[in-house]
Amino acid sequence: MSNDSFALSAGYLKKLVPLMMKYQVPANPKNYALWYTYIANTDEALTKAMNESLQSSGSVSLEQCTELYEAHIADGQNEGIQAAQEGFEALALEISNTMVDTMKDTDVFQSTLEKTFSQLARVDEEAMSTEETIAVVRNALKGSKEIRQSTSFFKNQLADAQKEIDRLKETLAEANEQAFNDALTGILNRRSFDKHLDKLIASPPERGFCLLICDLDHFKSFNDTYGHLMGDQVLKLTAKRLAQFCREGIEAFRYGGEEFALLVPNRPLGGGGRVAETIRASIDKLAIKDKKTGSKLDNITVSIGVAQFEKGESPRNLISRADAQLYEAKNLGRNRVMPIT
């Protein structure tokens, strides 16, 4: 990042927090990214929408913030991360500049001291008058006061910067989590899946790995019968159960909708199939109750397709083979794992 970009980031950072406080906007990663983009004026449509809201109602409601984020920022979820990183860089530049100024003041004070000592040495040699001696001492005291003010300002700025750094670190951590975790279930999302899969293919474990793609059976019918809130509850419980299998390098992801994926390292096809069968049986035992009626709902089942990575194949091909096995499991009656190993 250039010095100009640093200066811009520092300026945005100084405007961002006071503006969000003025309009009582919660400082979460989504709002941080939204208002940072607004201040930076990098999205004309967003700037226009924000200005219209501010002019008409004098504020931007939380609902509007969410809608504007989804419309203008959501496709680039790394905006919050980038904004926080630029904030760190801007703070570093500002502190560095202040340090340079303080060092210059120190050099000036050192020069003043050396000149003062040289002048005081003439007291005995040249019989300086009392008035002349007092003038020399006053000059030294003036320089001492100025350097104290300079170092005090630097100390205060460091303290303020530390507070801002702590806040930015928290924002960055939240933004990172948001970028790679599914908002509903809390497990890793599709973006994270793509990243992990690429990494495994680039450097496969010694014993290879398997991809498991899981799909909840009859989920659309379940949603139609019991409603989306109960459907969301099923997704959360399924994700929680999958997370229990995340050991020995296994990672679980929400792949999309009612589909989940697991990457199982150091397992051949048979080993991956056994993991899948254990997961299937575990989910089949999930018991869901309707809180309104207290009645037990239909059992939740899942179909799973398994594919073992073949050296040199692409992510797309591996996913396609696992999908084919998943469709076969569905065609054979659901609540099963394919291929049978």
Side-chain angles (χ1 to χ4, degrees):
M1 180 179 287
S2 67
N3 287 339
D4 288 343
S5 296
F6 273 126
L8 283 173
S9 295
Y12 298 153
L13 188 66
K14 289 177 180 178
K15 295 178 182 177
L16 177 63
V17 176
L19 196 61
M20 292 179 71
M21 290 178 66
K22 176 181 178 181
Y23 294 111
Q24 298 182 334
V25 179
N28 59 47
K30 287 186 177 180
N31 288 337
Y32 187 94
L34 176 69
W35 286 79
Y36 188 96
T37 304
Y38 170 64
I39 291 171
N41 196 25
T42 55
D43 186 316
E44 291 184 5
L46 171 62
T47 301
K48 181 180 179 182
M50 293 278 278
N51 285 338
E52 288 177 351
S53 178
L54 292 172
Q55 289 170 6
S56 62
S57 63
S59 65
V60 180
S61 68
L62 298 183
E63 291 77 9
Q64 286 175 311
C65 282
T66 300
E67 291 174 1
L68 289 170
Y69 176 86
E70 294 296 334
H72 300 275
I73 308 295
D75 288 340
Q77 288 184 354
N78 64 341
E79 287 286 344
I81 298 173
Q82 182 66 24
Q85 290 173 336
E86 290 180 350
F88 279 124
E89 293 169 344
L91 276 176
L93 176 67
E94 202 164 344
I95 292 171
S96 175
N97 289 338
T98 304
M99 184 180 291
V100 169
D101 292 339
T102 303
M103 292 301 294
K104 288 179 180 178
D105 292 341
T106 303
D107 289 341
V108 170
F109 181 58
Q110 182 177 354
S111 177
T112 299
L113 282 180
E114 290 174 353
K115 184 177 179 180
T116 299
F117 289 140
S118 175
Q119 290 173 331
L120 289 175
R122 294 165 45 209
V123 172
D124 290 333
E125 297 173 4
E126 303 180 10
M128 290 177 64
S129 68
T130 302
E131 290 78 7
E132 289 176 320
T133 303
I134 291 174
V136 171
V137 173
R138 282 177 176 169
N139 190 47
L141 289 174
K142 179 183 177 183
S144 175
K145 182 179 180 181
E146 290 173 350
I147 193 62
R148 284 200 306 272
Q149 291 175 339
S150 178
T151 54
S152 176
F153 173 76
F154 183 50
K155 181 180 179 181
N156 290 337
Q157 190 183 38
L158 282 178
D160 291 341
Q162 184 59 54
K163 293 178 183 178
E164 182 64 18
I165 286 170
D166 291 341
R167 190 188 67 78
L168 284 171
K169 285 170 67 177
E170 184 177 345
T171 298
L172 186 59
E174 291 176 357
N176 269 309
E177 182 177 355
Q178 186 180 59
F180 294 103
N181 287 74
D182 178 61
L184 176 65
T185 64
I187 64 173
L188 297 169
N189 62 15
R190 175 62 185 271
R191 175 181 295 182
S192 187
F193 168 78
D194 292 338
K195 183 178 179 181
H196 279 71
L197 181 57
D198 287 343
K199 184 177 180 181
L200 280 175
I201 287 179
S203 182
E206 184 177 347
R207 297 178 60 195
F209 68 92
C210 285
L211 166 63
L212 282 55
I213 295 185
C214 318
D215 187 88
L216 288 166
D217 296 325
H218 303 295
F219 188 70
K220 185 179 184 301
S221 297
F222 185 95
N223 264 343
D224 292 341
T225 303
Y226 300 108
H228 289 284
L229 289 179
M230 285 303 300
D232 287 349
Q233 186 66 17
V234 169
L235 291 172
K236 291 177 183 178
L237 287 173
T238 301
K240 185 176 181 180
R241 185 59 56 90
L242 292 177
Q244 295 174 354
F245 292 88
C246 291
R247 53 185 180 271
E248 298 179 355
I250 296 175
E251 294 280 9
F253 311 82
R254 186 179 180 194
Y255 191 72
E258 66 270 25
E259 278 193 324
F260 296 85
L262 290 96
L263 292 172
V264 184
N266 289 309
R267 299 284 208 293
L269 185 61
R274 286 189 289 274
V275 171
E277 178 57 31
T278 305
I279 289 173
R280 184 206 62 76
S282 177
I283 292 176
D284 191 26
K285 295 177 182 177
L286 284 176
I288 309 294
K289 283 188 176 181
D290 188 335
K291 293 182 179 179
K292 293 182 179 179
T293 65
S295 60
K296 184 179 178 181
L297 307 185
D298 295 339
N299 284 345
I300 306 302
T301 64
V302 65
S303 300
I304 305 176
V306 184
Q308 181 181 1
F309 171 68
E310 296 178 355
K311 187 176 180 180
E313 77 174 322
S314 66
R316 182 176 180 178
N317 191 66
L318 176 61
I319 293 170
S320 177
R321 292 197 295 111
D323 267 336
Q325 294 297 333
L326 171 63
Y327 295 143
E328 183 67 12
K330 294 282 188 181
N331 291 333
L332 291 174
R334 295 180 171 81
N335 192 21
R336 67 187 64 226
V337 174
M338 289 299 291
I340 299 173
T341 56

